């Protein structure tokens, strides 16, 4: 069966060691703290440097351009390779449309180039967890066509249960009003958020960080109780911001639910980190492709 290569925008927030292990080509988003100089995420600025700056500055992010994608696609087209390019949900960004436009341009020169652009309908670590699942399909010998059939079945199974440290950044990014942010911070309210189908859905609020972290574990447990799904059929990771201590505690609690195997930490990148601030923590899971 013809093999295929995988490309993904940096919004997937994959750890470096998984990018290397699964041979995934990353195309970066851009970050600017002065609206003049735009830095390539994870190339010109590390995620830790991003978070260090985030405490005192509110940045702007910018998606990969059409030309960025053309530059990335061209070597694959020249070598006659099959390519699957996976982007951040189009509900959050125009990265998908940039890739689609680049594909149309490059096909004029390389009409036989077999390239598929996939709107993941996912974001941050869930997008990354999904990309790893696709890479496992590839490594297990599935063709691109076979993988695409599995992909459509596993995308809807992905979930993010997360909380953040402060409402300040959501207010600055325009996701909530200033009055709501001020009131929430005064009352020490922590929002509980679920991400499904590429969109953010409020789950509620709870007073205090410790209670919020306990609640996202309860939300995860509740999901599997409600759906009746076997937790062993899912792959998990923990999303974190600048620090690891809380994420480690959350990971231990998730293992107490019966999760076995690896549970890597994914550091939330600039695309979502700009809105969430430096302290997001989340439980992320998606169904193993072998069980769909």
């Amino acid at each position: 069966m013809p093999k295929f290569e995988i490309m993904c925008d940096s919004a997937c927030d994959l750890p470096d060691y998984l990018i290397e292990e699964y041979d995934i080509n990353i195309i970066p988003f851009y970050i600017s703290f002065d609206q003049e100089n735009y830095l390539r995420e994870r190339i010109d600025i590390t995620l830790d440097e991003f978070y260090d700056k985030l405490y005192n500055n509110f940045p702007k992010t910018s998606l990969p351009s059409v030309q960025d994608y053309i530059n990335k696609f061209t070597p694959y087209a020249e070598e006659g390779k099959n390519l699957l390019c996976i982007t951040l949900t189009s509900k959050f960004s125009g990265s998908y449309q940039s890739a689609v436009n680049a594909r149309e341009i490059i096909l004029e020169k390389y009409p036989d180039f077999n390239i598929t652009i996939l709107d993941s309908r996912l974001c941050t670590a869930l997008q990354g967890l999904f990309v790893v699942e696709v890479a496992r399909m590839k490594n297990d010998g599935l063709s691109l066509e076979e993988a695409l059939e599995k992909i459509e079945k596993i995308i809807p199974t992905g979930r993010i249960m997360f909380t953040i440290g402060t409402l300040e950044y959501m207010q600055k990014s325009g996701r909530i009003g200033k009055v709501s942010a001020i009131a929430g911070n005064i009352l020490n309210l922590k929002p509980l958020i679920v991400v499904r189908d590429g969109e953010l859905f409020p789950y509620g609020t709870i007073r205090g960080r410790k209670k919020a972290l306990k609640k996202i574990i309860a939300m995860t447990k509740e999901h599997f109780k409600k759906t009746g799904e076997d937790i062993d059929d899912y792959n998990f990771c923990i999303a974190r911001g600048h620090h690891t201590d809380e994420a480690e505690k959350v990971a231990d609690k998730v293992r107490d639910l019966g999760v076995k195997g690896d549970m890597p930490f994914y550091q939330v990148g600039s695309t979502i980190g700009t809105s969430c601030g430096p302290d997001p923590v989340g439980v992320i899971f998606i169904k193993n492709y072998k069980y769909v």
Side-chain angles (χ1 to χ4, degrees), residues 12-19 42 47 124-126 128-129 132 236-255 261-269 280-284:
C12 67
D13 298 339
L14 275 168
D16 289 339
Y17 77 94
L18 288 176
I19 292 172
R42 300 171 69 159
L47 292 185
T124 188
L126 181 54
L129 202 61
V132 167
F236 282 73
C237 73
I238 303 298
R240 69 171 180 90
H242 204 191
H243 307 292
T244 60
D245 51 346
E246 291 177 328
E248 289 169 349
K249 294 176 182 178
V250 169
D252 288 341
K253 295 297 182 182
V254 173
R255 290 190 181 94
D262 294 336
M263 197 181 306
F265 289 179
Y266 285 47
Q267 190 171 20
V268 176
V281 177
V283 180
I284 322 292

Side-chain angles (χ1 to χ4, degrees), residues 27 56 65 71 92 110 116 154 162 180 198 204 218 241 246 288:
I27 183 166
N56 299 308
S65 69
N71 293 343
F92 282 8
Y110 301 95
T116 298
I154 67 172
F162 80 100
S180 297
E246 291 177 328
N288 186 314

Side-chain angles (χ1 to χ4, degrees), residues 60-128:
K60 296 286 186 181
T61 60
S62 179
L63 53 85
S65 69
V66 173
Q67 189 60 52
D68 288 335
Y69 273 110
I70 290 173
N71 293 343
K72 283 282 191 177
F73 291 163
T74 298
Y76 294 95
E78 291 175 342
E79 296 174 23
K81 293 182 176 180
N82 302 319
L83 180 63
L84 173 61
C85 176
I86 302 170
T87 72
L88 171 66
T89 173
S90 58
K91 295 177 180 179
F92 282 8
S93 166
S95 180
Y96 169 73
Q97 193 58 52
S98 282
V100 169
N101 292 344
R103 178 188 62 189
E104 297 310 306
I105 292 170
I106 205 164
L107 285 175
E108 294 178 4
K109 185 175 182 180
Y110 301 95
D112 296 327
F113 182 28
N114 183 13
I115 176 173
T116 298
I117 312 298
L118 179 69
D119 177 354
S120 72
R121 287 105 75 189
L122 306 171
C123 63
T124 188
L126 181 54
Q127 181 188 350

